[in-house]
Amino acid sequence: MFDIKGGDWDETRPRPIEEYDMYRAFERHFTDGISWTQTEFYERITDEIDQGKTKWGCTSEDEFYEVCGEFDSLHDSIVEHGFLSMKELHDRGLDTTKPIHAHEVCVVIGRDGTLYSDEGRHRLFIAKVLDFDQIPARVLVRHTEWQRIRDQAAAKGSPPSEYTSHPDLKDIR
């Protein structure tokens, strides 16, 4: 089930995923073969740990390096099995108990149809690095303006021309 919300929440959403230091680290590590320790993301997290903060459940750099090893395992699993929904992973008996594996990719949709990542960023970032055309995702929230566009498209039987390839309207085509 999803929510429909008005307001300006979609105008203050996070930046595109390519601007996250974590995504850039995934790209550099998995595409360019750069060590985790040589990424801006790793440096930022370990700096915060060194300042006494707990990050990713870690209180030491060694613990965080182990988390990065979990990112490697997640990547390898997606390469080996494809990008599966959490149900498909569970049905195949694959491990979904680790925190970085435990979240379905979830999105919220802004007034203009822009998709924003909300949950499952690790899996989403890896899918993007691996250049998947599409992945299963769950919609958590639609902006009221976007829902109005969906409702109009459903009444008409087809999406407006500027949205013919929008993934949230594929059920209307």
Side-chain angles (χ1 to χ4, degrees):
M1 204 62 195
F2 62 90
D3 243 348
I4 300 172
K5 288 185 184 176
D8 65 354
W9 60 265
D10 60 329
E11 294 175 349
T12 59
R13 290 301 294 184
R15 59 209 177 273
I17 66 172
E18 294 84 2
E19 293 180 15
Y20 284 85
D21 66 350
M22 182 179 169
Y23 172 75
R24 290 190 308 269
F26 276 47
E27 191 172 44
R28 292 191 69 216
H29 181 73
F30 294 121
T31 303
D32 303 332
I34 302 298
S35 169
W36 288 112
T37 60
Q38 296 176 341
T39 66
E40 174 189 345
F41 168 66
Y42 189 90
E43 287 180 29
R44 178 178 60 83
I45 298 299
T46 56
D47 283 350
E48 291 182 31
I49 290 170
D50 289 344
Q51 294 170 16
K53 296 178 183 173
T54 300
K55 300 299 287 185
W56 296 79
C58 304
T59 58
S60 73
E61 182 173 346
D62 289 342
E63 289 176 350
F64 183 64
Y65 191 78
E66 288 180 30
V67 167
C68 291
E70 290 296 321
F71 297 147
D72 289 331
S73 297
L74 178 59
H75 173 270
D76 294 348
S77 176
I78 291 172
V79 167
E80 181 179 348
H81 303 287
F83 196 99
L84 304 173
S85 69
M86 296 308 291
K87 180 181 181 338
E88 291 168 322
L89 287 168
H90 180 73
D91 289 351
R92 291 186 183 190
L94 299 171
D95 186 7
T96 60
T97 60
K98 296 177 181 161
I100 63 170
H101 298 219
H103 295 286
E104 195 75 74
V105 172
C106 295
V107 298
V108 296
I109 306 175
R111 73 188 71 222
D112 64 355
T114 300
L115 299 162
Y116 298 98
S117 172
D118 194 78
E119 292 277 344
R121 284 188 184 98
H122 315 108
R123 300 177 81 226
L124 175 62
F125 291 174
I126 290 170
K128 184 159 177 60
V129 166
L130 293 173
D131 202 27
F132 280 59
D133 288 334
Q134 59 183 5
I135 59 170
R138 192 171 133 225
V139 174
L140 296 178
V141 178
R142 289 186 179 110
H143 194 282
T144 52
E145 292 302 311
W146 179 250
Q147 186 62 46
R148 184 182 56 74
I149 291 168
R150 275 187 55 81
D151 292 345
Q152 288 173 349
K156 186 176 158 188
S158 65
S161 60
E162 66 268 33
Y163 297 116
T164 55
S165 63
H166 196 286
D168 194 43
L169 298 175
K170 70 180 179 185
D171 60 321
I172 297 175
R173 296 180 199 117

